[in-house]
Amino acid sequence: MIRAALHGNPGMIPAFLVLALLLAAAGHRLARRHGLPRRAVLLLAVALAGEVAVTLYPTFSGGAPDPSCAWSGDPGLAFCTEQGRLNLLMYLPIGLSAVLALGRPLAAACGVLALSATTETVQGLLPAIGRACDSADFTVNATGGLLGVLLGCAVRLVRRRRIAPDRREWRLTGLLVAAAGVPVLLLQSFVLTPTAATGAVEVSAEQERLARQDTALLFGPDARLIRTQRLLDAGVDRLTATVDRGFFTVDWPSGRLRDLITFPADPGAAPPAVPAEQAAASARGVRPVADAFAVRWLPDLAPATEPVVTPGGGQDGSHRFTYGTGPDAFSLDVAPDGRPVRFGIRR
């Protein structure tokens, strides 16, 4: 969500300023009427204005998909992305200032959860504004808000202020749950269409280590890993790595290899013409490389039967070895010098 504010929406800043002034004016009146700390109330007003402006300001107009909400199978995925970390930081001052302004930590915690859930639901109901409902966003938003609440509790304890909820705070929390939780639950259940989270996201340190390890195994220890991405598409979770000599894709977290392509040393050169007998002999010579590759990367798919060998039938004159039949079949191209140059699973 917050990334939109950082990538060129000039109208968002005036919208934030206007909303901040309106909320600050309303907060100032409430602070005077109820004896609330003015600085904390003003901080809360500014933080809320920022949240509304960043999450609901339209980023485009025109046609849009049906109302939906993306649900991720990995709750911790959003914490690995820059956007997720920025969202967490955006909600932290909301939770902190809510506790300092109102002095009711339980209600503040419920409030940040309700705010995030309501924001994501509105984004899902109004796809025309260019936003999207995402369970991962809710996770990081709620985490940031609750961390802010905990920080606010620590400040109150240092100041020797009460943090335990009284009867009035319990009633207020119950009203918040009923007012925000019930409508959100109904809308998410009956109006928004649940979809699987998709797209490319940043990788974790563990995923980066796996990509580097596989780069050395597939391309050699001196190969250089250029970029690693995590791709989500309809429940499929994979890592794709770009190397200075090619690229490959593996399933996550199993590490099963899905495809491999090695860049040719001379892209413009045509493969040399090799007599059939010489090509067959060369294919027999690299057969152990192909078998070892199959056992190493797909032990559950590597069959005990002989592969179909096509001498010179692979990429750039390499030899193609096809293992298995039907949807479980996979092919591997091995260059005459023993380098695997292309691999792919049919399914």
Side-chain angles (χ1 to χ4, degrees):
M1 292 183 302
I2 198 170
R3 179 171 293 179
L6 305 178
H7 292 280
N9 289 287
M12 185 180 297
I13 296 177
F16 160 71
L17 294 175
V18 171
L19 187 57
L21 288 174
L22 292 175
L23 291 179
H28 181 71
R29 293 187 60 182
L30 288 175
R32 291 185 59 183
R33 179 177 301 178
H34 299 284
L36 302 176
R38 294 184 184 180
R39 290 183 180 179
V41 171
L42 292 177
L43 175 61
L44 177 59
V46 172
L48 288 175
E51 194 275 347
V52 174
V54 168
T55 59
L56 299 180
Y57 184 86
T59 58
F60 74 86
S61 59
D66 294 333
S68 62
C69 192
W71 290 85
S72 173
D74 185 354
L77 177 63
F79 295 94
C80 300
T81 67
E82 177 189 5
Q83 176 175 326
R85 292 187 288 268
L86 290 173
N87 285 356
L88 186 149
L89 292 176
M90 178 177 66
Y91 266 74
L92 193 149
I94 296 177
L96 170 62
S97 58
V99 173
L100 299 181
L102 305 176
R104 299 187 181 279
L106 180 62
C110 181
V112 294
L113 295 176
L115 177 64
S116 180
T118 301
T119 296
E120 295 303 318
T121 302
V122 172
Q123 289 180 330
L125 292 172
L126 302 175
I129 66 175
R131 305 310 180 89
C133 173
D134 194 327
S135 66
D137 280 349
F138 171 77
T139 300
V140 292
N141 294 347
T143 301
L146 294 178
L147 287 175
V149 170
L150 291 176
L151 184 58
C153 289
V155 173
R156 288 185 61 85
L157 287 175
V158 170
R159 296 176 177 177
R160 298 184 179 181
R161 304 288 180 84
R162 178 186 58 84
I163 63 171
D166 56 16
R167 186 174 302 178
R168 183 179 179 183
E169 186 171 356
W170 280 107
R171 288 198 300 267
L172 178 60
T173 303
L175 289 175
L176 282 173
V177 171
V182 173
V184 165
L185 182 61
L186 292 175
L187 290 170
Q188 289 282 351
S189 301
F190 299 105
V191 178
L192 297 180
T193 302
T195 61
T198 61
V201 299
E202 298 175 37
V203 296
S204 66
E206 180 182 2
Q207 293 160 351
E208 185 72 14
R209 283 194 298 270
L210 175 64
R212 293 189 180 279
Q213 172 185 314
D214 288 350
T215 295
L217 292 173
L218 292 168
F219 296 93
D222 56 341
R224 181 170 61 90
L225 177 64
I226 298 174
R227 185 183 185 189
T228 309
Q229 279 188 303
R230 185 176 183 181
L231 303 177
L232 300 175
D233 186 9
V236 176
D237 194 349
R238 290 174 181 164
L239 302 178
T240 178
T242 302
V243 185
D244 58 351
R245 302 175 185 178
F247 63 85
F248 64 92
T249 303
V250 297
D251 290 339
W252 175 259
S254 69
R256 172 182 292 182
L257 185 66
R258 303 300 305 189
D259 59 58
L260 162 71
I261 293 180
T262 299
F263 299 145
D266 188 357
V274 179
E277 293 184 0
Q278 183 179 345
S282 176
R284 288 193 296 271
V286 298
R287 165 71 187 279
V289 175
D291 289 342
F293 186 98
V295 172
R296 167 65 180 82
W297 292 101
L298 290 126
D300 55 332
L301 297 183
T305 57
E306 291 289 311
V308 176
V309 183
T310 308
Q315 174 180 302
D316 299 324
S318 60
H319 308 302
R320 176 157 295 176
F321 298 84
T322 302
Y323 295 81
T325 59
D328 288 337
F330 60 93
S331 61
L332 171 67
D333 295 350
V334 182
D337 61 2
R339 292 180 300 106
V341 295
R342 182 183 288 267
F343 167 82
I345 302 176
R346 289 185 181 179
R347 63 181 181 184

